[in-house]
Amino acid sequence: QNNAKRSLLQSANQSSYHEADTYQHLKSSLSIVDDALQMINDVKSDMLHQSDLLKRTKDKLSKLFNLTGFSQSIIRVVTQRSTMDFYIFIVGCILTLTIIFTLWYYF
């Protein structure tokens, strides 16, 4: 009878340790997810702030160009160039990711 009690207590302790370990693991995972979400939120707010700053800078430069006599054709060329640079950047990113995933897949 003592052996039965001892084995019952031992198995109960092992399962409670396992549950406590699982709980701690889930708690730390939740903390990591919360930290990641907070970082994403911070990056998003920083990007929105930078976007707003760039828009204001673009408006101020546009006013300055109009005051100094830059023609609309020059401004249009600069805008088209920045659009083309953006497309080149996107194609470069896609090409780079394709090469990286191809190398990862085969090696």
Side-chain angles (χ1 to χ4, degrees):
Q1 191 174 9
N2 281 340
N3 287 338
K5 285 181 183 179
R6 193 173 301 138
S7 68
L8 182 62
L9 285 175
Q10 191 175 25
S11 66
N13 283 339
Q14 287 175 350
S15 65
S16 64
Y17 287 140
H18 178 68
E19 288 174 6
D21 188 40
T22 303
Y23 174 75
Q24 288 298 325
H25 180 69
L26 288 175
K27 191 174 177 182
S28 67
S29 297
L30 183 61
S31 174
I32 291 170
V33 169
D34 285 341
D35 291 343
L37 289 174
Q38 183 62 40
M39 285 187 343
I40 289 169
N41 193 21
D42 292 344
V43 167
K44 179 184 168 191
S45 65
D46 287 344
M47 289 182 75
L48 289 174
H49 175 70
Q50 289 175 4
S51 174
D52 184 46
L53 181 67
L54 287 173
K55 285 179 185 177
R56 287 187 309 207
T57 304
K58 180 182 174 185
D59 290 340
K60 287 182 181 181
L61 284 175
S62 178
K63 288 178 185 177
L64 176 69
F65 288 157
N66 287 333
L67 287 176
T68 57
F70 278 99
S71 67
Q72 289 291 5
S73 63
I74 292 175
I75 294 173
R76 192 177 314 112
V77 168
V78 169
T79 304
Q80 288 174 350
R81 175 63 193 245
S82 69
T83 303
M84 185 57 73
D85 288 346
F86 177 73
Y87 291 143
I88 291 170
F89 171 74
I90 294 298
V91 169
C93 288
I94 291 170
L95 183 65
T96 302
L97 286 174
T98 304
I99 291 171
I100 288 172
F101 284 123
T102 304
L103 289 174
W104 175 72
Y105 181 76
Y106 286 109
F107 296 107

